[in-house]
Amino acid sequence: MEILIFKTNVTSKRKVSKVRALLTSVAAIKQWNFDLEDCDKVLRIEANGLNTGYVESLLNTAGFHCQEMDY
């Protein structure tokens, strides 16, 4: 299991709802959450064998900014 961390522009619960369908459709993702209080609107994903580029592309295609963060 690995933890992936992304900086996003998902700023509200309403926007999280739009992303929910995308993230729950990916079988490799076991859990995910947004920290809307953080200045980077952090998305944390627990997954097995998930490519970070895929997550970035998935959210970018849906109209959101998503960029992997170093930690």
Side-chain angles (χ1 to χ4, degrees), residues 10 12-22 32:
V10 176
S12 68
K13 290 180 180 181
R14 189 172 137 224
K15 290 181 180 180
V16 170
S17 294
K18 291 181 180 181
V19 175
R20 178 176 287 120
L22 298 172
W32 59 271

Side-chain angles (χ1 to χ4, degrees), residues 2-61:
E2 44 192 12
I3 298 175
L4 309 174
I5 300 176
F6 301 90
K7 177 180 180 175
T8 74
N9 67 342
V10 176
T11 56
S12 68
K13 290 180 180 181
R14 189 172 137 224
K15 290 181 180 180
V16 170
S17 294
K18 291 181 180 181
V19 175
R20 178 176 287 120
L22 298 172
L23 297 176
T24 57
S25 70
V26 179
I29 296 176
K30 303 306 175 195
Q31 290 187 336
W32 59 271
N33 66 62
F34 281 94
D35 183 352
L36 300 179
E37 300 295 319
D38 188 280
C39 65
D40 290 325
K41 309 305 181 204
V42 172
L43 166 62
R44 288 182 185 85
I45 296 177
E46 290 182 35
N48 289 317
L50 186 62
N51 183 311
T52 57
Y54 178 75
V55 175
E56 291 173 346
S57 177
L58 190 66
L59 268 71
N60 290 335
T61 301

